[in-house]
Amino acid sequence: MQNIKSLFLLLLSCFFGGCTSSAIFEDYRNIPQEKWAINSDIQFEVEIPQNGDYDFILCIRHTTDYEMANLWCFLTVADSTRTIRKDSVNIMVAEADGKWKGKGNLLKTLEYPLPDPYALNTGKYFISVKQGMRTPTLKGIKNVGLIVRPGTSVPTAIE
């Protein structure tokens, strides 16, 4: 009986230990009235703990009222003195047959990892996300989120 309890506790700790996230930052911002205006920036402030490469994951939560199959976003990463990097990403939110790619029923959640890691120094960074669909207002976008995780490369000083 003692062995069964020990085995159960070991499995339970492995299960919950596997649920921990390696993210150093994760946050979602609400889009007022689920209408993302073309001139509306979504702002995040991220503290980077050490020099190195970091993976960025852009997260979109949308309703089934979203009318497009994709979503262009412009991402800008800056520190207190300059812009570090700008990216344009085309997130496919639906398959060619119209099936949503995100998880969920009426509210779909889609995580889009940016293809290349960001080489960042220790410090505070400001991330801005804009929609780039050339539509004054996108209906059905509920939240925009950002996840930042340490990359797989060894931390190095960045000039």
Side-chain angles (χ1 to χ4, degrees):
M1 185 68 171
Q2 185 64 23
N3 287 341
I4 293 173
K5 284 183 182 178
S6 297
L7 181 61
F8 177 73
L9 289 174
L10 177 65
L11 290 173
L12 191 62
S13 64
C14 288
F15 174 75
F16 284 113
C19 292
T20 60
S21 171
S22 63
I24 63 159
F25 179 85
E26 183 172 356
D27 193 17
Y28 283 83
R29 300 296 160 90
N30 291 327
I31 304 298
Q33 301 171 345
E34 298 176 5
K35 295 178 182 177
W36 193 4
I38 197 163
N39 59 355
S40 177
D41 295 32
I42 309 300
Q43 302 279 335
F44 299 96
E45 189 174 306
V46 179
E47 188 71 35
I48 298 297
Q50 65 181 16
N51 296 350
D53 287 347
Y54 289 87
D55 296 325
F56 280 46
I57 301 160
L58 196 55
C59 307
I60 304 296
R61 288 185 180 142
H62 66 89
T63 66
T64 54
D65 294 334
Y66 186 66
E67 298 172 341
M68 311 285 185
N70 69 324
L71 172 61
W72 276 98
C73 291
F74 303 130
L75 187 89
T76 303
V77 178
D79 62 14
S80 61
T81 60
R82 64 189 171 95
T83 296
I84 305 297
R85 185 165 147 188
K86 289 184 176 186
D87 282 309
S88 299
V89 296
N90 185 15
I91 302 170
M92 298 307 296
V93 297
E95 302 285 351
D97 64 1
K99 182 179 180 227
W100 296 112
K101 292 182 112 181
K103 297 177 185 174
N105 292 323
L106 297 177
L107 181 63
K108 303 293 183 182
T109 300
L110 184 64
E111 294 183 356
Y112 180 84
L114 275 73
D116 298 315
Y118 286 70
L120 301 174
N121 288 324
T122 302
K124 189 180 294 187
Y125 290 84
F126 306 93
I127 293 91
S128 169
V129 182
K130 287 185 171 185
Q131 65 103 333
M133 293 297 289
R134 298 183 184 164
T135 301
T137 304
L138 293 177
K139 297 176 190 165
I141 303 292
K142 185 164 182 68
N143 309 100
V144 174
L146 180 69
I147 300 171
V148 179
R149 292 188 178 124
T152 55
S153 70
V154 178
T156 57
I158 301 164
E159 299 302 321

